[in-house]
Amino acid sequence: MENDIRIYVEEAPGQRRELEAPTDMGLSLMELLKANDYPIQAACGGMALCATCHVEVLAGPALPEPQDAELDMLETLPHVYEGSRLSCQIRLHPHTDGLVVRIAG
Amino acid sequence: MPNVISTDICIVGAGPVGLFAVFEAGLLKLRCHVVDALAQPGGQLTEIYPKKPIYDIPGFPEVLAGDLVDNLMKQIEPFHPTFTMGERVERFAKLDDGTFQLYTTDGTEIQCKAVAIAGGLGSFEPRKPAVENLERFEGGKGVHYMVRDPERFRGKKIVIAGGGDSALDWTNFLANVASEVTLVHRGTTFRGAADSAEKVQKLHEAGKIKLVLSSNVTHLHGNGHLQEVTITGNDGVAETVPLDAFVPLFGLTPKLGPIGEWGLGLENDAVKVNTLDYSTSTPGVFAIGDINTYPGKLKLILCGFHEAALMCQGAFKYIYPDKKYTLKYTTVNGVPTL
């Protein structure tokens, strides 16, 4: 599909799975990961209230800066990484084509 | 003497689906006892997003999650369910007569004729930091994931870790209880409630607490009981701090927990069920809501409500295999009381 983009999930060091994602459905990265059976709980349903969809962005295009709600939740986690994000707050968009993430748990 | 409760159905999980199951069971004149690891009913609706509006509950164009729970509690009042809150069901045994005995973490025993698991994503458990030896000092040996009784820390040296509201709140409170409080945070600022962060800062400036920023607790040491922790800065510099208790406060996260070990058929951490009545592989044990899985499963509250209604029919037939059941409508019969 011409609206599809590619997201890569690093399942192990150097081992990346390619996911094809539509950009015309208003999906978040969390929803895409859940749809592909990754162990994402997303207990709050995508409200940046539970941090159970934590990912580490490893490479790819620049993303919009996290908003306060996302930063507040990331603050509560015992461990974060330089690229830590809540996947529920990342909208799939043509500009996110080529994003590489790891499920951070 | 252990606390022993006798009921028709034991519902494991006090989320919206578990609560509605009480109503459906009540229509069939089945008594319910509800157990939940959290201290208050509502499950993740109450614990995570009580102020979040929900839009897909029939008849409610918009309802706050907390209000939905309040309404469900009101709806089940006529059936006088009983509750064991703040205790997690650890294990269950099926007896020769087909009834069940469930046991909680705090020793409560529940005798029942059927079990309905409505455990959602599992029980909410403290999020644990990845520190070696952490488990070795759990269970009263120095690591506490929550402050149940602040008096337990009176006159003690404690190290709190975390950067959220609970870490800030307990630091402020325990500063007046413990003999020494150290707050360790991996960042440089606090994004919790501004006045709590300000109080922490003031206590630090007044020398009443120690504040260690840009650092993590990385090692625990002790012989039997926790005696010291190593705090390592982001710059790699480490110091060892003597203490009586380590309190990591990183919020709660849902875990399937012991349900995964009950011998029920599982798939991707969810309980497989027969959609005829949401029965599991163990006759008499049912699973409804987010905890179950079947072809076409949708994890929606309204689907859980539907499952609760069908489950209760199945539970009724399991408990009373010889009784004829006739579907009754509340429009005709009203809501019977137990």
Side-chain angles (χ1 to χ4, degrees):
Chain A
M1 298 289 286
E2 64 181 83
N3 288 328
D4 287 359
I5 58 169
R6 274 150 201 81
I7 301 289
Y8 299 89
V9 181
E10 185 149 303
E11 297 182 338
Q15 188 183 318
R16 293 178 179 179
R17 179 179 163 200
E18 180 181 301
L19 305 180
E20 217 165 77
T23 55
D24 55 357
M25 292 172 65
L27 291 178
S28 68
L29 176 61
M30 174 273 281
E31 288 165 324
L32 177 73
L33 295 172
K34 273 179 80 85
N36 283 279
D37 293 328
Y38 282 101
I40 295 278
Q41 291 184 315
C44 73
M47 297 282 289
L49 289 170
C50 70
T52 57
C53 67
H54 180 198
V55 295
E56 181 185 10
V57 174
L58 300 173
L63 297 172
E65 288 298 308
Q67 300 294 300
D68 280 353
E70 182 179 354
L71 291 170
D72 286 351
M73 274 319 297
L74 289 170
E75 181 95 334
T76 65
L77 297 177
H79 292 285
V80 293
Y81 310 90
E82 205 172 312
S84 277
R85 295 295 301 262
L86 299 182
S87 58
C88 69
Q89 299 302 297
I90 298 174
R91 288 276 145 205
L92 298 180
H93 187 273
H95 294 157
T96 51
D97 189 22
L99 195 68
V100 184
V101 300
R102 181 183 72 82
I103 309 290
Chain B
M1 277 290 288
N3 187 15
V4 180
I5 293 151
S6 178
T7 190
D8 292 327
I9 302 180
C10 180
I11 295 174
V12 182
V17 172
L19 295 177
F20 190 64
V22 173
F23 180 81
E24 288 295 323
L27 293 180
L28 302 175
K29 293 193 175 286
L30 298 172
R31 294 171 303 144
C32 288
H33 184 77
V34 185
V35 190
D36 199 296
L38 293 173
Q40 70 288 321
Q44 69 192 58
L45 275 66
T46 308
E47 189 62 27
I48 301 179
Y49 49 83
K51 298 297 179 194
K52 175 184 171 184
I54 302 173
Y55 301 100
D56 59 354
I57 304 296
F60 288 93
E62 178 182 333
V63 60
L64 296 183
D67 291 346
L68 178 62
V69 173
D70 291 345
N71 283 343
L72 284 163
M73 290 297 285
K74 191 171 177 192
Q75 192 171 17
I76 63 177
E77 264 175 24
F79 302 119
H80 310 294
T82 49
F83 291 84
T84 296
M85 302 304 294
E87 296 181 29
R88 190 175 72 176
V89 177
E90 282 294 288
R91 60 191 175 91
F92 80 94
K94 188 172 183 180
L95 307 183
D96 290 343
D97 63 359
T99 65
F100 299 87
Q101 284 180 328
L102 283 72
Y103 304 90
T104 73
T105 39
D106 290 28
T108 301
E109 181 183 328
I110 300 141
Q111 299 171 345
C112 57
K113 297 167 186 164
V115 179
I117 302 168
L121 294 169
S123 56
F124 283 82
E125 294 178 17
R127 189 180 273 124
K128 298 181 183 181
V131 181
E132 213 177 314
N133 290 338
L134 197 68
E135 279 81 13
R136 218 173 90 194
F137 297 107
E138 290 175 347
K141 294 175 193 158
V143 172
H144 303 264
Y145 296 108
M146 55 188 71
V147 182
R148 285 187 199 276
D149 175 16
E151 281 305 311
R152 188 170 184 167
F153 300 109
R154 182 164 294 282
K156 302 279 170 85
K157 289 181 182 176
I158 62 171
V159 171
I160 296 174
D165 284 323
S166 59
L168 294 173
D169 290 347
W170 281 118
T171 297
N172 287 326
F173 187 88
L174 292 171
N176 297 316
V177 178
S179 66
E180 191 177 299
V181 176
T182 303
L183 175 61
V184 181
H185 178 39
R186 61 174 165 71
T188 53
T189 56
F190 292 103
R191 300 186 54 86
D195 60 328
S196 305
E198 200 177 318
K199 274 186 203 161
V200 164
Q201 197 61 42
K202 282 187 176 163
L203 284 169
H204 170 56
E205 285 162 7
K208 292 188 175 168
I209 64 160
K210 289 182 185 171
L211 190 54
V212 187
L213 299 176
S214 302
S215 301
N216 284 303
V217 170
T218 50
H219 296 88
L220 309 181
H221 316 275
N223 187 10
H225 194 281
L226 183 63
Q227 289 165 311
E228 291 176 336
V229 293
T230 301
I231 300 172
T232 307
N234 295 347
D235 55 5
V237 176
E239 66 166 323
T240 301
V241 176
L243 81 174
D244 299 302
F246 173 47
V247 187
L249 296 173
F250 296 109
L252 301 173
T253 190
K255 299 260 185 229
L256 186 59
I259 292 170
E261 292 149 25
W262 289 359
L264 308 169
L266 295 179
E267 187 178 287
N268 292 334
D269 273 355
V271 181
K272 287 200 282 188
V273 290
N274 178 348
T275 50
L276 193 68
D277 56 3
Y278 299 94
S279 53
T280 68
S281 56
T282 300
V285 179
F286 302 82
I288 53 176
D290 284 358
I291 197 123
N292 75 14
T293 185
Y294 52 85
K297 169 72 183 178
L298 281 180
K299 288 189 177 184
L300 294 174
I301 294 172
L302 72 95
C303 297
F305 289 166
H306 158 85
E307 293 169 14
L310 289 183
M311 177 278 291
C312 286
Q313 315 290 320
F316 183 90
K317 285 175 194 157
Y318 178 80
I319 296 169
Y320 301 112
D322 301 326
K323 264 196 194 176
K324 183 172 165 49
Y325 166 72
T326 310
L327 180 67
K328 288 178 178 160
Y329 298 99
T330 56
T331 45
V332 177
N333 298 292
V335 176
T337 52
L338 289 180

